[in-house]
Amino acid sequence: MRLLDLTARNRLLNFKPSAGKTIQIVNVVPDAIWEKLLDGGALTIIPIQEPSLMEYNITEEGRKVKPDAKDYARKLGIDTSYDLSSTLQNGSSGKIQALYYPEDLARFSRKVFGNAKSAIEETGTNMLYLVFGFLEFYEDDSSTKPLLAPLLAVPVTIKPNGIDANTRHPKV
């Protein structure tokens, strides 16, 4: 028991998504993605399309800035909830939706790939996983902060040259 870390420091018991270390996916049916992975297929991560200049927000200083990607995705009709719903897209095409604009998705994908490659070189183990679902629980009855534990983690790789030729989006 001393070898097991059952505290909130263990990321398998207390997962916290962080920019550059995780890419959260929305608006897909997990079964379709699971079937695609079982068949040995590749998944292409697609970004939120760029807004037109007319859709940019104006700051107090008068500068034009892109709207928040999650807000803009909602405006485009993309379900941005991380919870399952009946309005999800199929996902059998192998395309999975991330809530990033193209340049942000490319930057985060490179960072995740670099971290995964470093982990393999340093430890010899793959530490890159596609997680299907999280269990939300509380440490004790008086706790108000939920903890998230991954339910099913499937090891994946990101190919450094894994860019879809047509869309220029990264493949997993």
Side-chain angles (χ1 to χ4, degrees), residues 56-65:
Y56 275 43
N57 298 325
I58 308 290
T59 65
E60 291 178 10
E61 297 85 31
R63 292 188 357 232
K64 284 189 166 190
V65 294

Side-chain angles (χ1 to χ4, degrees), residues 25-33 79-90 131-134 151:
I25 305 301
V26 297
N27 205 33
V28 294
V29 176
D31 292 352
I33 301 302
D79 183 0
T80 61
S81 171
Y82 296 119
D83 294 332
L84 292 177
S85 76
S86 60
T87 62
L88 298 175
Q89 301 299 313
N90 186 327
V131 173
F132 289 86
F134 289 89
L151 288 177

Side-chain angles (χ1 to χ4, degrees), residues 98-110:
L99 292 177
Y100 298 110
Y101 290 119
E103 67 275 1
D104 295 332
L105 179 58
R107 184 176 70 246
F108 289 138
S109 296
R110 281 191 304 272

